[in-house]
Amino acid sequence: MITYIVRRIMMAIPLLFGITILSFGIIQIAPGDPTALMIDPMIRDKDLVAYKELYGLNDPIYVQYLKWVGNMIQGNFGDSLIRQGVAVNELIMARLPNTLLLMLVSTILAIFISIPIGIISATKQNSLADYTFTFFSFLGIATPNFWIGLVLIMFLSVHLGWFPTGGVATLNEPFSIWDRIHHLILPSIVLATADVAGLTRYIRSSMLDVLKQDFIRTARAKGFKQKKVVYKHALRNGLIPVITIFGLMLPSFIGGSVVVEKIFGWPGIGMLFFDAAFQRDYPVIMAITVIASALVVIGNLLADILYAIFDPRIEY
Amino acid sequence: MSALLEVKNLKTYFVSKKRVVPAVDGVDITIRKGETVGLVGESGCGKSMTSLSIIGLVPSPGGKIVDGQILLDGVNLVDLSENNMCKVRGRDIAMIFQEPMTSLNPVLTVGEQIIEVIMYHLQLNRSDATQKAINLLKMVGFPRADKIIKEYPHRLSGGMRQRVMIAMAMSCNPKLLIADEPTTALDVTIQAQVLELMKELSRKFETSILLVTHDLGVVSELAERVIVMYAGQVVEEALVDDIFDKPYHPYTEGLIDSVPLIEGAITRLNSIPGNVPSPEEMPKGCRFAPRCRVAFDRCYSEEPTLQSISTSRFVRCFLYEEGEVNGCSRL
Ligand SMILES: Nc1ncnc2c1ncn2[C@@H]1O[C@H](COP(=O)(O)OP(=O)(O)OP(=O)(O)O)[C@@H](O)[C@H]1O
Ligand SMILES: [Mg+2]
């Protein structure tokens, strides 16, 4: 098992390098450069050249890349171009915990909602409950996150006043766990919706598949009741393919968090990324791209390991 | 010996909005304690549906027992609630299936799958159940049973898995073991070993066996009596020796003739022309008539009933009306 994990990590390293090259390349192709935004339009050409020189923007692209990667390996993402003198590390570290918290809570939410719904839909196939869940799943898949977010804010926060409209905590109040949870509820529900909808469908079809298998008939022939057949014999088999799907869903999750954080004023790296992208704050954009990619790679690694734990047929 | 299992006029139909498929259409089966009865017939004639009806696992929704009784020690299983039926399944009636490769749960160890059934029905604690599972595995021919219980099914061969299935089925000492094509998926030498094992166990524990197969060779190996099914009905019932000696029903005759015989260097293989009629378009009259070599007018207009020829012999054919044994010479 350990060697399997180590081997998988080794395989992830070249992947991460590929990602740094790609993201660096894409940013270079994108029009506009930071000097256009940060500098007084009346600046003299001579000063502009000096500015570019100062930030290394005149170096050949591969030199810029190597410098950046070299620093990054040492854990240094450089300074923000827009907020002068502030290290990117600092910006990210201030926000990463918020994002991770949001993602963790909505992942747990997504899992705990979609597994029971998927099981009910599969075991009571074509029942009213199944049709209802199916209807809402497709609705959930088809509805963009930001729209659900805005509607919830409008009704639950603005009209009914049940939830705060945004932020991680009430300003100028001492820390309180309830206040934090209160702020977490809406954004994590919104972030979870798209995934709950998709996951429910996957779990349903996977469970339907498993329930048709011969070993389920064997379990029934042993005299086990429906509950035991479903939870002991079918569920674990049914979740195996879902683990992979879950790993594949991570990127959309991170993408979704950018939108959700912006809407809910959640000071996470999603929001930071959003602002940085509009300000062409290269170092911040790049750092977040790399971190997000690393999260995806780690997520898939975890999915693979879980897969190996769940399915004894995987040899490692 | 008294009857352990009495199936009377069993009718299992698949009902959908469009049509009704009578998969099992008035079947009678009697099995005595310790007796092995073979249930033979071509593919699609309703053997599996008959056995699934007995253990109460007719595929649902769709399939349903619409008529008849299934008496196990005098208790009608058809009337039992699902909860009570759960106590019968795996304990009084156990079943093994055709596909050993897919009949075991791939994510649970072999041991767990035997232990769980022992703990469930016999209320043993885990360590006693584990010990019992090891003994069972030794009994079905795993000398290193304490190792095997920790293995996952994918590490075992088909023959080994079928032995595990047998150990599992025998774990609560059932009164009746239903074996639906237990050896069909195995190669010939393994087949013989598994049959030998079943024979030995049924003798040792006085377990009755309903052996479902389309292989008459397997039947002659294991069973004392044979029931031949055609298109959802019993067409002939006889002692094994009698039926091979002289099959009465033209269909049985065809079945026996289609078993490969090696005569000198020439392998002769006769098959019955045509196919089993699909249950939704049964021919009028005798269901076998369109394929029968000796059918006459009456066979196409009237449906024959199951006639008693002697106490152990029944046949559904107009050639044997009123107990008279004529016709159907093996031309
Ligand atoms: N789910 C179902 N829906 C409708 N009809 C079915 C269904 N399952 C089985 N049947 C019908 O029941 C009939 C009997 O099937 P059964 O499986 O009992 O045959 P069998 O004798 O066991 O054949 P085999 O040797 O292939 O196992 C088949 O002809 C089939 O048309
Ligand atoms: Mg069958």
Side-chain angles (χ1 to χ4, degrees):
Chain A
M1 192 71 185
I2 302 287
T3 51
Y4 172 74
I5 295 171
V6 171
R7 203 168 67 225
R8 288 303 324 256
I9 292 174
M10 301 300 265
M11 278 158 68
I13 290 173
L15 191 64
L16 282 171
F17 262 100
I19 289 165
T20 61
I21 293 176
L22 261 183
S23 43
F24 193 85
I26 288 171
I27 273 292
Q28 292 299 326
I29 296 167
D33 76 51
T35 51
L37 271 174
M38 63 192 267
I39 293 159
D40 181 355
M42 310 302 278
I43 196 170
R44 285 170 305 171
D45 279 357
K46 205 181 93 199
D47 288 348
L48 187 61
V49 171
Y51 241 108
K52 288 196 172 188
E53 191 62 44
L54 177 65
Y55 286 105
L57 293 172
N58 288 334
D59 291 340
I61 287 174
Y62 69 90
V63 175
Q64 289 188 33
Y65 172 76
L66 287 178
K67 268 192 197 163
W68 173 64
V69 169
N71 281 328
M72 197 176 65
I73 290 172
Q74 294 162 31
N76 174 13
F77 287 102
D79 285 351
S80 164
L81 291 183
I82 305 297
R83 296 176 220 208
Q84 305 212 340
V86 182
V88 174
N89 287 12
E90 223 172 284
L91 286 173
I92 286 177
M93 287 325 285
R95 288 167 173 78
L96 192 59
N98 285 336
T99 296
L100 290 181
L101 179 69
L102 180 62
M103 282 176 49
L104 186 73
V105 171
S106 46
T107 307
I108 294 173
L109 213 59
I111 292 173
F112 277 90
I113 296 174
S114 57
I115 291 182
I117 293 182
I119 294 174
I120 293 170
S121 294
T123 49
K124 304 225 165 27
Q125 196 192 358
N126 301 332
S127 66
L128 182 64
D130 180 24
Y131 287 135
T132 312
F133 289 139
T134 302
F135 175 77
F136 281 105
S137 296
F138 282 122
L139 201 66
I141 292 169
T143 319
N145 263 347
F146 70 85
W147 190 82
I148 298 178
L150 291 175
V151 168
L152 287 184
I153 291 177
M154 213 164 89
F155 281 97
L156 301 184
S157 305
V158 177
H159 279 280
L160 297 170
W162 290 355
F163 295 99
T165 51
V168 274
T170 313
L171 290 175
N172 306 322
E173 294 248 334
F175 176 87
S176 126
I177 191 91
W178 288 114
D179 185 49
R180 286 306 208 88
I181 293 174
H182 200 198
H183 280 81
L184 244 176
I185 294 175
L186 282 190
S188 41
I189 287 178
V190 172
L191 188 51
T193 22
D195 294 277
V196 164
L199 275 178
T200 307
R201 302 304 299 164
Y202 283 119
I203 294 171
R204 177 182 183 272
S205 72
S206 169
M207 285 296 285
L208 278 178
D209 240 30
V210 170
L211 286 169
K212 280 193 213 100
Q213 307 266 316
D214 289 348
F215 63 82
I216 294 300
R217 192 181 51 189
T218 307
R220 293 220 158 93
K222 289 175 176 180
F224 296 151
K225 307 221 167 79
Q226 174 76 355
K227 246 205 183 112
K228 183 154 182 180
V229 171
V230 170
Y231 288 95
K232 181 160 182 186
H233 286 267
L235 185 57
R236 201 166 144 194
N237 283 283
L239 288 185
I240 290 171
V242 178
I243 294 171
T244 315
I245 297 295
F246 200 76
L248 293 175
M249 276 184 167
L250 259 177
S252 78
F253 219 68
I254 293 173
S257 76
V258 174
V259 177
V260 170
E261 286 182 7
K262 188 66 194 168
I263 289 175
F264 285 93
W266 188 265
I269 54 171
M271 192 150 107
L272 182 65
F273 184 80
F274 193 92
D275 296 339
F278 273 93
Q279 296 164 339
R280 307 222 189 287
D281 197 344
Y282 285 158
V284 175
I285 299 174
M286 305 290 283
I288 295 176
T289 310
V290 170
I291 289 173
S293 317
L295 283 180
V296 171
V297 172
I298 292 169
N300 278 307
L301 189 68
L302 281 178
D304 279 353
I305 293 169
L306 268 182
Y307 201 108
I309 292 172
F310 261 68
D311 190 347
R313 285 164 297 187
I314 304 289
E315 302 282 342
Y316 39 80
Chain B
M1 274 197 293
S2 63
L4 171 78
L5 177 82
E6 273 182 281
V7 176
K8 290 180 181 166
N9 191 33
L10 175 68
K11 293 188 178 172
T12 304
Y13 290 3
F14 284 90
V15 182
S16 67
K17 283 202 187 80
K18 278 181 235 141
R19 59 208 174 131
V20 174
V21 179
V24 179
D25 206 6
V27 163
D28 296 278
I29 296 174
T30 302
I31 303 179
R32 285 182 279 276
K33 192 165 165 46
E35 187 184 34
T36 297
V37 174
L39 186 62
V40 298
E42 279 167 295
S43 193
C45 68
K47 305 182 298 290
S48 295
M49 285 311 137
T50 305
S51 26
L52 290 174
S53 302
I54 294 170
I55 200 168
L57 289 178
V58 176
S60 127
K64 194 172 172 351
I65 297 178
V66 295
D67 197 10
Q69 289 185 311
I70 299 168
L71 303 173
L72 184 77
D73 275 337
V75 177
N76 190 358
L77 302 183
V78 179
D79 293 339
L80 284 190
S81 67
E82 174 59 19
N83 259 354
N84 285 329
M85 198 58 207
C86 279
K87 291 181 194 137
V88 173
R89 266 183 228 131
R91 184 192 179 121
D92 296 328
I93 305 179
M95 187 156 179
I96 54 181
F97 300 96
Q98 174 172 355
E99 283 301 330
M101 301 313 267
T102 53
S103 291
L104 289 167
N105 191 332
V107 303
L108 297 178
T109 59
V110 161
E112 176 58 27
Q113 296 184 56
I114 302 176
I115 291 164
E116 60 170 0
V117 74
I118 298 172
M119 288 173 67
Y120 179 73
H121 285 299
L122 305 183
Q123 276 90 38
L124 294 186
N125 64 31
R126 181 162 282 274
S127 69
D128 290 350
T130 308
Q131 194 49 51
K132 189 166 165 65
I134 292 175
N135 292 341
L136 282 160
L137 284 170
K138 280 194 180 132
M139 186 180 76
V140 297
F142 291 103
R144 310 188 60 192
D146 48 329
K147 293 270 183 311
I148 294 292
I149 61 165
K150 297 193 191 99
E151 289 288 4
Y152 286 95
H154 71 277
R155 313 268 303 230
L156 308 182
S157 69
M160 287 160 94
R161 288 187 209 187
Q162 200 61 299
R163 284 169 189 276
V164 170
M165 284 296 291
I166 293 173
M168 206 159 80
M170 296 303 291
S171 58
C172 299
N173 210 346
K175 296 170 182 163
L176 175 67
L177 174 67
I178 301 175
D180 190 353
E181 315 249 7
T183 57
T184 309
L186 305 176
D187 64 49
V188 185
T189 45
I190 307 295
Q191 215 172 54
Q193 290 171 11
V194 169
L195 288 177
E196 195 51 47
L197 174 68
M198 287 176 58
K199 199 192 265 182
E200 188 191 309
L201 292 178
S202 81
R203 209 174 295 137
K204 192 160 150 195
F205 296 101
E206 285 208 304
T207 311
S208 308
I209 299 180
L210 179 65
L211 177 69
V212 178
T213 177
H214 54 245
D215 186 342
L216 282 163
V218 169
V219 167
S220 67
E221 190 81 24
L222 211 59
E224 286 122 51
R225 262 183 328 122
V226 197
I227 294 171
V228 182
M229 273 186 84
Y230 185 79
Q233 295 181 325
V234 174
V235 295
E236 184 162 2
E237 182 181 331
L239 297 176
V240 166
D241 294 339
D242 293 348
I243 213 162
F244 282 101
D245 197 36
K246 183 165 173 28
Y248 282 5
H249 199 284
Y251 176 64
T252 315
E253 192 189 19
L255 274 186
I256 292 173
D257 272 354
S258 62
V259 176
L261 290 176
I262 296 166
E263 295 177 345
I266 310 156
T267 304
R268 186 166 60 103
L269 186 65
N270 295 329
S271 63
I272 307 170
N275 290 308
V276 182
S278 75
E280 66 244 59
E281 41 197 57
M282 274 315 160
K284 205 166 160 304
C286 173
R287 295 182 177 183
F288 185 60
R291 298 172 69 191
C292 185
R293 287 183 304 154
V294 292
F296 48 95
D297 287 350
R298 193 179 169 196
C299 304
Y300 293 99
S301 55
E302 235 182 283
E303 220 181 314
T305 52
L306 196 62
Q307 299 284 323
S308 166
I309 309 289
S310 71
T311 50
S312 63
R313 190 135 207 199
F314 301 85
V315 63
R316 188 189 291 276
C317 182
F318 288 125
L319 296 174
Y320 306 94
E321 289 269 69
E322 320 285 320
E324 98 196 65
V325 181
N326 54 21
C328 196
S329 57
R330 304 186 64 187
L331 296 167

